[in-house]
Amino acid sequence: LGSAYFRRSETHKKRFIRGWPDIFKWLMAMQKYNVHLNYEKGALFWSIVEKVFDACIFVYEIPLVDADILEFAVRAWIGRRDEGNIDRYAGQPLIACLGQLRLGEELPEAELKIVALRLEKALDACDIDMYDLTSIIVTRLTEMMERNSKMNARPEEGILHHSGVMSFLMGLRWSWP
């Protein structure tokens, strides 16, 4: 479901908004209990997560600042490597949440500290810190650039995702507790 689907009818938007709490509960449960791994080694799940959060950005941005959703977004970003050493994750949830937290804007120091604390709590809940998150981003960027240079390919969308998150983190660097 893309933005055009929701633009066509206010009813479609309202249904999504009403269903969001249940959609999110199902996504969390599938991730928590590793049910998502039963379908294409998790690739299908992460693809759906990306699309759901895309729709959420367009239709219903308000819940993205919720602590549980931010924690889910961090867990989605962390993902996991499957037995074929393929990195399975979703970037859109974290990008959507960070966008909601208005990290790209000039914010007063007090607001930046609040945003940094929210993100720190989500990272703590996932047993990582800002340095671990940065390390994940650097590793993925390195792998993507190596893959692109070997294939003489256009930059992957993931490079933009990772670069976007890094720019958000850089905006927070002086506010980090």
Side-chain angles (χ1 to χ4, degrees):
L1 303 174
S3 59
Y5 174 81
F6 294 108
R7 264 192 235 122
R8 280 195 295 262
S9 169
E10 194 63 30
T11 303
H12 295 178
K13 281 185 184 180
K14 288 178 184 173
R15 285 183 184 149
F16 183 87
I17 291 168
R18 267 195 323 269
W20 170 252
D22 292 328
I23 293 168
F24 182 67
K25 285 176 192 169
W26 275 101
L27 292 175
M28 275 188 20
M30 289 180 75
Q31 182 188 34
K32 181 177 180 180
Y33 298 109
N34 290 323
V35 174
H36 67 289
L37 300 176
N38 297 332
Y39 306 97
E40 298 178 23
K41 298 180 183 175
L44 181 61
F45 175 77
W46 295 124
S47 174
I48 290 169
V49 166
E50 296 266 350
K51 288 175 180 30
V52 167
F53 274 79
D54 276 342
C56 204
I57 290 170
F58 181 76
V59 175
Y60 189 46
E61 291 184 349
I62 303 305
L64 296 180
V65 296
D66 178 83
D68 289 337
I69 295 172
L70 186 55
E71 181 183 331
F72 175 86
V74 170
R75 289 188 190 285
W77 185 272
I78 295 168
R80 60 180 285 285
R81 289 205 180 259
D82 68 15
E83 56 277 351
N85 203 29
I86 296 173
D87 201 6
R88 306 284 185 187
Y89 68 96
Q92 190 59 29
L94 186 57
I95 290 168
C97 288
L98 292 176
Q100 257 316 83
L101 294 172
R102 299 182 355 215
L103 296 183
E105 299 175 20
E106 288 292 320
L107 296 175
E109 184 68 24
E111 270 191 69
L112 274 175
K113 286 186 186 291
I114 291 169
V115 169
L117 285 171
R118 281 185 182 168
L119 185 55
E120 183 180 30
K121 283 181 183 179
L123 293 171
D124 283 347
C126 298
D127 295 322
I128 67 170
D129 61 19
M130 176 78 97
Y131 300 104
D132 296 325
L133 184 63
T134 303
S135 178
I136 291 168
I137 293 168
V138 169
T139 300
R140 287 183 181 153
L141 280 172
T142 302
E143 289 173 357
M144 285 178 207
M145 288 187 289
E146 286 173 1
R147 196 168 41 242
N148 282 339
S149 67
K150 287 178 186 172
M151 299 177 355
N152 272 342
R154 287 183 22 223
E156 297 178 32
E157 182 179 304
I159 290 175
L160 299 176
H161 276 156
H162 288 78
S163 299
V165 171
M166 281 298 282
S167 71
F168 287 135
L169 295 177
M170 292 303 292
L172 277 181
R173 74 183 180 278
W174 302 117
S175 301
W176 204 257

PDB file of all heavy atoms in Angstrom, residues 124-145:
ATOM      1  N   ASP A 124      19.717   1.045  24.960  1.00  0.00           N
ATOM      2  CA  ASP A 124      19.937   0.249  26.179  1.00  0.00           C
ATOM      3  C   ASP A 124      19.035  -0.981  26.203  1.00  0.00           C
ATOM      4  O   ASP A 124      19.474  -2.063  26.580  1.00  0.00           O
ATOM      5  CB  ASP A 124      19.670   1.086  27.440  1.00  0.00           C
ATOM      6  CG  ASP A 124      20.792   2.042  27.767  1.00  0.00           C
ATOM      7  OD1 ASP A 124      21.890   1.909  27.185  1.00  0.00           O
ATOM      8  OD2 ASP A 124      20.561   2.940  28.606  1.00  0.00           O
ATOM      9  N   ALA A 125      17.772  -0.797  25.810  1.00  0.00           N
ATOM     10  CA  ALA A 125      16.828  -1.917  25.806  1.00  0.00           C
ATOM     11  C   ALA A 125      17.275  -3.013  24.838  1.00  0.00           C
ATOM     12  O   ALA A 125      16.917  -4.180  25.003  1.00  0.00           O
ATOM     13  CB  ALA A 125      15.432  -1.424  25.438  1.00  0.00           C
ATOM     14  N   CYS A 126      18.066  -2.635  23.843  1.00  0.00           N
ATOM     15  CA  CYS A 126      18.564  -3.594  22.851  1.00  0.00           C
ATOM     16  C   CYS A 126      19.992  -4.051  23.169  1.00  0.00           C
ATOM     17  O   CYS A 126      20.630  -4.711  22.343  1.00  0.00           O
ATOM     18  CB  CYS A 126      18.526  -2.964  21.462  1.00  0.00           C
ATOM     19  SG  CYS A 126      16.873  -2.505  20.923  1.00  0.00           S
ATOM     20  N   ASP A 127      20.495  -3.665  24.317  1.00  0.00           N
ATOM     21  CA  ASP A 127      21.845  -4.031  24.770  1.00  0.00           C
ATOM     22  C   ASP A 127      22.958  -3.543  23.845  1.00  0.00           C
ATOM     23  O   ASP A 127      23.956  -4.240  23.625  1.00  0.00           O
ATOM     24  CB  ASP A 127      21.968  -5.550  24.972  1.00  0.00           C
ATOM     25  CG  ASP A 127      21.072  -6.053  26.080  1.00  0.00           C
ATOM     26  OD1 ASP A 127      20.929  -5.338  27.095  1.00  0.00           O
ATOM     27  OD2 ASP A 127      20.515  -7.156  25.932  1.00  0.00           O
ATOM     28  N   ILE A 128      22.769  -2.345  23.292  1.00  0.00           N
ATOM     29  CA  ILE A 128      23.833  -1.727  22.502  1.00  0.00           C
ATOM     30  C   ILE A 128      23.932  -0.260  22.920  1.00  0.00           C
ATOM     31  O   ILE A 128      23.093   0.239  23.661  1.00  0.00           O
ATOM     32  CB  ILE A 128      23.625  -1.846  20.975  1.00  0.00           C
ATOM     33  CG1 ILE A 128      22.408  -1.031  20.504  1.00  0.00           C
ATOM     34  CG2 ILE A 128      23.494  -3.290  20.542  1.00  0.00           C
ATOM     35  CD1 ILE A 128      22.312  -0.915  18.990  1.00  0.00           C
ATOM     36  N   ASP A 129      24.967   0.420  22.433  1.00  0.00           N
ATOM     37  CA  ASP A 129      25.098   1.853  22.685  1.00  0.00           C
ATOM     38  C   ASP A 129      25.339   2.568  21.357  1.00  0.00           C
ATOM     39  O   ASP A 129      25.331   1.946  20.288  1.00  0.00           O
ATOM     40  CB  ASP A 129      26.206   2.144  23.707  1.00  0.00           C
ATOM     41  CG  ASP A 129      27.585   1.681  23.249  1.00  0.00           C
ATOM     42  OD1 ASP A 129      27.805   1.460  22.036  1.00  0.00           O
ATOM     43  OD2 ASP A 129      28.467   1.547  24.117  1.00  0.00           O
ATOM     44  N   MET A 130      25.543   3.870  21.434  1.00  0.00           N
ATOM     45  CA  MET A 130      25.734   4.685  20.234  1.00  0.00           C
ATOM     46  C   MET A 130      26.924   4.183  19.415  1.00  0.00           C
ATOM     47  O   MET A 130      26.889   4.183  18.193  1.00  0.00           O
ATOM     48  CB  MET A 130      25.938   6.139  20.640  1.00  0.00           C
ATOM     49  CG  MET A 130      26.235   7.062  19.481  1.00  0.00           C
ATOM     50  SD  MET A 130      24.776   7.483  18.556  1.00  0.00           S
ATOM     51  CE  MET A 130      24.408   9.034  19.315  1.00  0.00           C
ATOM     52  N   TYR A 131      27.966   3.734  20.094  1.00  0.00           N
ATOM     53  CA  TYR A 131      29.161   3.258  19.387  1.00  0.00           C
ATOM     54  C   TYR A 131      28.883   1.954  18.641  1.00  0.00           C
ATOM     55  O   TYR A 131      29.379   1.758  17.527  1.00  0.00           O
ATOM     56  CB  TYR A 131      30.323   3.107  20.375  1.00  0.00           C
ATOM     57  CG  TYR A 131      30.647   4.427  21.046  1.00  0.00           C
ATOM     58  CD1 TYR A 131      30.255   4.659  22.360  1.00  0.00           C
ATOM     59  CD2 TYR A 131      31.288   5.448  20.349  1.00  0.00           C
ATOM     60  CE1 TYR A 131      30.514   5.889  22.969  1.00  0.00           C
ATOM     61  CE2 TYR A 131      31.546   6.669  20.943  1.00  0.00           C
ATOM     62  CZ  TYR A 131      31.152   6.888  22.248  1.00  0.00           C
ATOM     63  OH  TYR A 131      31.404   8.089  22.842  1.00  0.00           O
ATOM     64  N   ASP A 132      28.079   1.071  19.246  1.00  0.00           N
ATOM     65  CA  ASP A 132      27.691  -0.167  18.566  1.00  0.00           C
ATOM     66  C   ASP A 132      26.854   0.153  17.330  1.00  0.00           C
ATOM     67  O   ASP A 132      27.043  -0.447  16.266  1.00  0.00           O
ATOM     68  CB  ASP A 132      26.883  -1.084  19.499  1.00  0.00           C
ATOM     69  CG  ASP A 132      27.684  -1.559  20.698  1.00  0.00           C
ATOM     70  OD1 ASP A 132      28.905  -1.776  20.549  1.00  0.00           O
ATOM     71  OD2 ASP A 132      27.075  -1.702  21.785  1.00  0.00           O
ATOM     72  N   LEU A 133      25.914   1.073  17.485  1.00  0.00           N
ATOM     73  CA  LEU A 133      25.058   1.462  16.364  1.00  0.00           C
ATOM     74  C   LEU A 133      25.901   2.045  15.233  1.00  0.00           C
ATOM     75  O   LEU A 133      25.724   1.695  14.062  1.00  0.00           O
ATOM     76  CB  LEU A 133      24.000   2.475  16.830  1.00  0.00           C
ATOM     77  CG  LEU A 133      22.967   2.908  15.789  1.00  0.00           C
ATOM     78  CD1 LEU A 133      22.127   1.725  15.330  1.00  0.00           C
ATOM     79  CD2 LEU A 133      22.068   4.000  16.376  1.00  0.00           C
ATOM     80  N   THR A 134      26.836   2.896  15.589  1.00  0.00           N
ATOM     81  CA  THR A 134      27.726   3.490  14.592  1.00  0.00           C
ATOM     82  C   THR A 134      28.563   2.410  13.910  1.00  0.00           C
ATOM     83  O   THR A 134      28.752   2.434  12.693  1.00  0.00           O
ATOM     84  CB  THR A 134      28.635   4.548  15.245  1.00  0.00           C
ATOM     85  OG1 THR A 134      27.810   5.524  15.877  1.00  0.00           O
ATOM     86  CG2 THR A 134      29.521   5.220  14.221  1.00  0.00           C
ATOM     87  N   SER A 135      29.035   1.444  14.672  1.00  0.00           N
ATOM     88  CA  SER A 135      29.827   0.348  14.121  1.00  0.00           C
ATOM     89  C   SER A 135      29.017  -0.465  13.111  1.00  0.00           C
ATOM     90  O   SER A 135      29.531  -0.854  12.051  1.00  0.00           O
ATOM     91  CB  SER A 135      30.326  -0.549  15.250  1.00  0.00           C
ATOM     92  OG  SER A 135      31.036  -1.630  14.726  1.00  0.00           O
ATOM     93  N   ILE A 136      27.754  -0.729  13.433  1.00  0.00           N
ATOM     94  CA  ILE A 136      26.873  -1.450  12.501  1.00  0.00           C
ATOM     95  C   ILE A 136      26.747  -0.668  11.198  1.00  0.00           C
ATOM     96  O   ILE A 136      26.850  -1.227  10.102  1.00  0.00           O
ATOM     97  CB  ILE A 136      25.475  -1.675  13.129  1.00  0.00           C
ATOM     98  CG1 ILE A 136      25.561  -2.668  14.280  1.00  0.00           C
ATOM     99  CG2 ILE A 136      24.466  -2.156  12.075  1.00  0.00           C
ATOM    100  CD1 ILE A 136      24.302  -2.732  15.142  1.00  0.00           C
ATOM    101  N   ILE A 137      26.555   0.629  11.316  1.00  0.00           N
ATOM    102  CA  ILE A 137      26.392   1.475  10.124  1.00  0.00           C
ATOM    103  C   ILE A 137      27.660   1.470   9.283  1.00  0.00           C
ATOM    104  O   ILE A 137      27.608   1.281   8.065  1.00  0.00           O
ATOM    105  CB  ILE A 137      26.012   2.914  10.537  1.00  0.00           C
ATOM    106  CG1 ILE A 137      24.621   2.917  11.167  1.00  0.00           C
ATOM    107  CG2 ILE A 137      26.066   3.856   9.335  1.00  0.00           C
ATOM    108  CD1 ILE A 137      24.260   4.208  11.876  1.00  0.00           C
ATOM    109  N   VAL A 138      28.810   1.648   9.924  1.00  0.00           N
ATOM    110  CA  VAL A 138      30.081   1.684   9.190  1.00  0.00           C
ATOM    111  C   VAL A 138      30.339   0.347   8.492  1.00  0.00           C
ATOM    112  O   VAL A 138      30.736   0.307   7.321  1.00  0.00           O
ATOM    113  CB  VAL A 138      31.243   2.074  10.128  1.00  0.00           C
ATOM    114  CG1 VAL A 138      32.588   1.863   9.461  1.00  0.00           C
ATOM    115  CG2 VAL A 138      31.085   3.513  10.587  1.00  0.00           C
ATOM    116  N   THR A 139      30.079  -0.760   9.191  1.00  0.00           N
ATOM    117  CA  THR A 139      30.272  -2.086   8.595  1.00  0.00           C
ATOM    118  C   THR A 139      29.377  -2.264   7.368  1.00  0.00           C
ATOM    119  O   THR A 139      29.838  -2.719   6.317  1.00  0.00           O
ATOM    120  CB  THR A 139      29.974  -3.196   9.629  1.00  0.00           C
ATOM    121  OG1 THR A 139      30.872  -3.044  10.735  1.00  0.00           O
ATOM    122  CG2 THR A 139      30.120  -4.571   9.026  1.00  0.00           C
ATOM    123  N   ARG A 140      28.115  -1.905   7.500  1.00  0.00           N
ATOM    124  CA  ARG A 140      27.191  -2.063   6.370  1.00  0.00           C
ATOM    125  C   ARG A 140      27.559  -1.153   5.211  1.00  0.00           C
ATOM    126  O   ARG A 140      27.496  -1.561   4.050  1.00  0.00           O
ATOM    127  CB  ARG A 140      25.761  -1.799   6.819  1.00  0.00           C
ATOM    128  CG  ARG A 140      25.216  -2.931   7.657  1.00  0.00           C
ATOM    129  CD  ARG A 140      23.787  -2.684   8.034  1.00  0.00           C
ATOM    130  NE  ARG A 140      23.291  -3.771   8.862  1.00  0.00           N
ATOM    131  CZ  ARG A 140      22.322  -3.644   9.753  1.00  0.00           C
ATOM    132  NH1 ARG A 140      21.730  -2.472   9.931  1.00  0.00           N
ATOM    133  NH2 ARG A 140      21.931  -4.680  10.449  1.00  0.00           N
ATOM    134  N   LEU A 141      27.931   0.085   5.505  1.00  0.00           N
ATOM    135  CA  LEU A 141      28.338   0.999   4.435  1.00  0.00           C
ATOM    136  C   LEU A 141      29.558   0.456   3.698  1.00  0.00           C
ATOM    137  O   LEU A 141      29.612   0.484   2.462  1.00  0.00           O
ATOM    138  CB  LEU A 141      28.647   2.388   5.000  1.00  0.00           C
ATOM    139  CG  LEU A 141      27.462   3.281   5.276  1.00  0.00           C
ATOM    140  CD1 LEU A 141      27.903   4.538   6.022  1.00  0.00           C
ATOM    141  CD2 LEU A 141      26.748   3.664   3.992  1.00  0.00           C
ATOM    142  N   THR A 142      30.527  -0.058   4.440  1.00  0.00           N
ATOM    143  CA  THR A 142      31.738  -0.621   3.833  1.00  0.00           C
ATOM    144  C   THR A 142      31.382  -1.795   2.923  1.00  0.00           C
ATOM    145  O   THR A 142      31.851  -1.874   1.777  1.00  0.00           O
ATOM    146  CB  THR A 142      32.726  -1.077   4.931  1.00  0.00           C
ATOM    147  OG1 THR A 142      33.029   0.042   5.759  1.00  0.00           O
ATOM    148  CG2 THR A 142      33.988  -1.652   4.327  1.00  0.00           C
ATOM    149  N   GLU A 143      30.517  -2.705   3.428  1.00  0.00           N
ATOM    150  CA  GLU A 143      30.115  -3.861   2.628  1.00  0.00           C
ATOM    151  C   GLU A 143      29.368  -3.435   1.363  1.00  0.00           C
ATOM    152  O   GLU A 143      29.596  -3.978   0.286  1.00  0.00           O
ATOM    153  CB  GLU A 143      29.246  -4.804   3.457  1.00  0.00           C
ATOM    154  CG  GLU A 143      30.020  -5.539   4.533  1.00  0.00           C
ATOM    155  CD  GLU A 143      29.125  -6.345   5.465  1.00  0.00           C
ATOM    156  OE1 GLU A 143      27.876  -6.303   5.324  1.00  0.00           O
ATOM    157  OE2 GLU A 143      29.673  -7.036   6.349  1.00  0.00           O
ATOM    158  N   MET A 144      28.487  -2.462   1.497  1.00  0.00           N
ATOM    159  CA  MET A 144      27.711  -2.003   0.332  1.00  0.00           C
ATOM    160  C   MET A 144      28.608  -1.343  -0.703  1.00  0.00           C
ATOM    161  O   MET A 144      28.454  -1.574  -1.904  1.00  0.00           O
ATOM    162  CB  MET A 144      26.636  -1.015   0.777  1.00  0.00           C
ATOM    163  CG  MET A 144      25.474  -1.650   1.455  1.00  0.00           C
ATOM    164  SD  MET A 144      24.332  -0.354   1.977  1.00  0.00           S
ATOM    165  CE  MET A 144      23.566  -1.171   3.347  1.00  0.00           C
ATOM    166  N   MET A 145      29.545  -0.519  -0.257  1.00  0.00           N
ATOM    167  CA  MET A 145      30.428   0.151  -1.211  1.00  0.00           C
ATOM    168  C   MET A 145      31.334  -0.859  -1.906  1.00  0.00           C
ATOM    169  O   MET A 145      31.573  -0.748  -3.108  1.00  0.00           O
ATOM    170  CB  MET A 145      31.224   1.246  -0.506  1.00  0.00           C
ATOM    171  CG  MET A 145      30.341   2.434  -0.137  1.00  0.00           C
ATOM    172  SD  MET A 145      31.201   3.862   0.511  1.00  0.00           S
ATOM    173  CE  MET A 145      31.715   3.299   2.108  1.00  0.00           C
TER     174      MET A 145
END
